[in-house]
Amino acid sequence: MATTRAEMNRRRLAWANLPPSDPPKTFDTLVDRKDVRGLWQATAAAKVWAEGAGTPWLVLVGSNGVAKSHIAEAALRDLAARGEKPDLVIADHLR
């Protein structure tokens, strides 16, 4: 029996062990927040990292509520959708 693309994506996300979120935290669901300085620069850097370009590491730093967890989960979802995984993820908590 052939595995559908949706089933493959479901398995990859389960394998990635990402926290359940409704809706899933993706780059498309990231809300434009003009009050968060550097949000779009951090998002652009995370997209480049998730594509495997740029540096081999991604570090997101900032105060509470500035979308660090959202950006990190979005990048990890992109990796999982392509069947890839980072070598190491350290996070105090992905919400």
Side-chain angles (χ1 to χ4, degrees):
M1 172 196 287
T3 304
T4 66
R5 181 182 208 106
E7 176 63 17
M8 286 177 61
N9 283 339
R10 188 195 65 73
R11 286 181 187 173
R12 288 174 179 159
L13 289 174
W15 165 77
N17 198 26
L18 290 169
S21 56
D22 187 26
K25 291 178 174 78
T26 67
F27 291 121
D28 292 334
T29 62
L30 185 61
V31 175
D32 185 7
R33 302 225 358 239
K34 307 259 188 247
D35 61 318
V36 178
R37 193 177 105 232
L39 176 66
W40 294 113
Q41 293 88 340
T43 303
K47 285 180 179 180
V48 168
W49 176 82
E51 292 168 358
T55 63
W57 37 263
L58 176 66
V59 177
L60 300 171
V61 179
S63 58
N64 292 340
V66 296
K68 296 180 307 293
S69 295
H70 191 119
I71 293 169
E73 184 176 330
L76 291 171
R77 285 184 181 280
D78 275 13
L79 282 175
R82 289 197 321 273
E84 299 177 25
K85 66 176 185 172
D87 292 329
L88 174 67
V89 174
I90 299 174
D92 64 339
H93 184 65
L94 289 176
R95 299 181 221 287

